[in-house]
Amino acid sequence: MPKSALIIEDDADIAESVRYNLESEGFVATVAATGEQGLALALNSPAPPMVIVLDLMLPGMDGMELCRRLRKENQTRRVPIIILTAKTSEADRIAGLDLGADDYIAKPFSVRELMARVRAVLRRTDEDAGERYDDGRLTIDFTNVLATCDSAPVKLTNKEFRLLAALAKKHGRVVTRQQLLDEVWGYTYYGDARTLDVHIRRLRQKLGGCGDCIETLVGVGYRFLGCGSRPGNSLGNKHG
């Protein structure tokens, strides 16, 4: 099956440049000029695109709302989204990444850099595909973005699930705070690192009896320990 890409961009020159370069790398690229058209193309195609390049400043439905909608739909909740926009403030970057975008590139931009970012997000997606963690109490289905604790579903946001997945895939190894920020928020994130600690705290709370699967190493980062061999839900003294 050919690689597919969806470009949602109302500037015809930019859209054509991105389309040309994606097709030069073997993609079949489709262009939408409005948020509504982009949503329809993403959801109504026989298969979702492999990557979406999304402008924020669109006529009609803006890119922020579109990103939110795409992350709520089963067909597109795991499709990598790269935001491409002239809105370059820190608040805009954080808002886009917190909505579930995988990367953020400011206009004007280098097409070579954009192609490198596309390859990077697709590598991460390939690494995530077809994997599952199960220790008897906590299960994590990386493919279908599902987690359960003691057979009960755990409702997580996209960001919380990505944090859990990033830690679980390095089971037993220390993951620094910067590594987690880079992997989950992206290399372009320059916000307050304390947002990571807030997300970890919420993740533990939502995991309930499985919340002790994540260990805090003060001043360093976190480590995923699993919880199959540790019944009960005491958080002990190791959580910060």
Side-chain angles (χ1 to χ4, degrees), residues 167-178:
L167 288 164
K169 288 176 182 180
K170 296 177 176 63
H171 190 178
R173 291 151 53 192
V174 176
V175 186
T176 68
R177 298 169 83 248
Q178 189 60 53

Side-chain angles (χ1 to χ4, degrees), residues 47-221:
M50 294 181 66
V51 64
I52 296 173
V53 178
L54 172 64
D55 182 28
L56 288 189
M57 300 176 68
L58 295 167
M61 182 191 302
D62 66 24
M64 290 292 193
E65 176 60 24
L66 179 54
C67 187
R68 186 181 297 109
R69 292 283 300 275
L70 290 169
R71 283 297 175 244
K72 287 183 177 179
E73 299 291 340
N74 287 335
Q75 303 99 303
T76 53
R77 64 183 178 181
R78 296 189 70 247
V79 174
I81 297 175
I82 299 177
I83 288 178
L84 185 67
T85 182
K87 300 176 73 173
T88 58
S89 73
E90 180 178 294
D92 289 324
R93 290 198 303 270
I94 294 170
L97 294 169
D98 279 345
L99 283 174
D102 295 84
D103 210 339
Y104 193 114
I105 300 180
K107 298 177 182 178
F109 63 95
S110 158
V111 174
R112 290 180 62 188
E113 180 184 4
L114 173 60
M115 294 303 106
R117 301 286 186 94
V118 168
R119 291 190 293 269
V121 297
L122 290 178
R123 279 197 302 271
R124 293 200 296 268
T125 301
D126 289 342
E127 289 168 359
D128 290 347
E131 299 180 27
R132 180 183 178 88
Y133 172 85
D134 187 345
D135 63 21
R137 295 192 61 213
L138 176 65
T139 64
I140 307 168
D141 185 334
F142 301 116
T143 301
N144 295 305
V145 195
L146 299 171
T148 65
C149 176
D150 296 329
S151 301
V154 181
K155 293 183 178 181
L156 300 174
T157 66
N158 181 63
K159 196 75 70 180
E160 289 163 350
F161 185 88
R162 290 173 65 190
L163 261 180
L164 179 61
L167 288 164
K169 288 176 182 180
K170 296 177 176 63
H171 190 178
R173 291 151 53 192
V174 176
V175 186
T176 68
R177 298 169 83 248
Q178 189 60 53
Q179 286 172 332
L180 284 171
L181 285 169
D182 289 345
E183 183 167 346
V184 178
W185 275 262
Y187 292 99
T188 56
Y189 178 73
Y190 299 110
D192 191 340
R194 286 178 297 181
T195 190
L196 170 62
D197 303 320
V198 172
H199 277 77
I200 290 286
R201 184 163 62 249
R202 290 176 181 168
L203 174 58
R204 284 178 175 142
Q205 291 170 348
K206 290 186 177 182
L207 288 171
C210 296
D212 61 350
C213 67
I214 301 170
E215 177 185 27
T216 297
L217 290 93
V218 178
V220 180

